[in-house]
Amino acid sequence: MKKYAMETSVGIFVLAGLLCVAYLTVKLGKLEVFSSDGYQVTARFKDVTGLKSGAYVEMAGVRIGRVAGIGLDPVDHSALVTLTLDKDVRLTDDTIASIKTSGLIGDKFIKISPGGSDDPLRPGGMIVETESSVDLGDLIGKYVFGGVK
C-alpha cells in the first residue's frame, strides 16, 4: 500500500512539473492558446526591416495589440502589416503608425499615434499615415562615406 502512495505522489509531482513547463513555453514563446478578442487593421509601409510577426503594438507606451502578419503588396511592392488590436481600443482615420526600436539594438515594434479626427477607423480599415523603420546600418554607411551633412 505504501508503494502505491509513493508512486502516486511522484506521478502527481511529475504532472505538475510538466504543466509548469507547458505554461512557461506558451508564455515565453509569446503564443496565444486562446484567440484574444480584438479586431484587425492594416498599415502600408515602404520598409519594415526588422519587424516580425508577433511584435507588439503600443500607444502611449501601453501594449494594445500585436502584429498578426506581414505581406507584400503585389501592385506597388510596399509592405502590408496586419495589426490585431484590443477590442476596447478605438483609432481614428488619421492615426499614424511608426516602426520603432526598443533600446539601441532591440526588437522592433509598432507605435500608434492618435490623430485628431472624429471619424473612426473601422475593423479591416487601412492606416495610411505611416513612418518606416530607420536602418542604423544605412545611417552609419552614409556618415562614413560622406552622405550626411
Side-chain angles (χ1 to χ4, degrees):
M1 192 70 163
K2 189 174 183 180
K3 181 179 176 184
Y4 293 120
M6 178 69 104
E7 289 175 353
T8 303
S9 62
V10 169
I12 291 172
F13 182 75
V14 169
L15 181 64
L18 289 174
L19 289 174
C20 289
V21 168
Y23 174 77
L24 287 174
T25 301
V26 169
K27 279 307 226 186
L28 294 177
K30 299 177 186 175
L31 300 174
E32 290 185 17
V33 176
F34 304 107
S35 63
S36 62
D37 292 334
Y39 66 99
Q40 290 189 341
V41 295
T42 306
R44 181 182 306 272
F45 290 92
K46 291 181 183 175
D47 185 17
V48 292
T49 302
L51 186 68
K52 298 176 184 170
S53 291
Y56 293 117
V57 178
E58 295 184 0
M59 178 184 281
V62 178
R63 291 182 179 153
I64 60 168
R66 289 190 177 270
V67 174
I70 302 171
L72 187 65
D73 186 356
V75 177
D76 64 355
H77 303 292
S78 61
L80 295 175
V81 179
T82 305
L83 310 174
T84 301
L85 304 177
D86 296 341
K87 65 180 176 182
D88 56 341
V89 174
R90 297 291 168 226
L91 302 178
T92 57
D93 63 350
D94 61 345
T95 297
I96 300 171
S98 307
I99 299 176
K100 301 292 184 184
T101 305
S102 59
L104 186 59
I105 55 173
D107 291 334
K108 302 276 184 165
F109 68 96
I110 303 281
K111 178 183 177 190
I112 301 289
S113 301
S117 173
D118 291 329
D119 298 329
L121 183 66
R122 303 201 187 286
M126 174 78 73
I127 299 175
V128 293
E129 297 292 328
T130 60
E131 296 175 356
S132 295
S133 63
V134 176
D135 189 10
L136 191 59
D138 287 346
L139 287 178
I140 292 172
K142 285 181 183 178
Y143 179 75
V144 168
F145 295 112
V148 177
K149 295 181 183 187

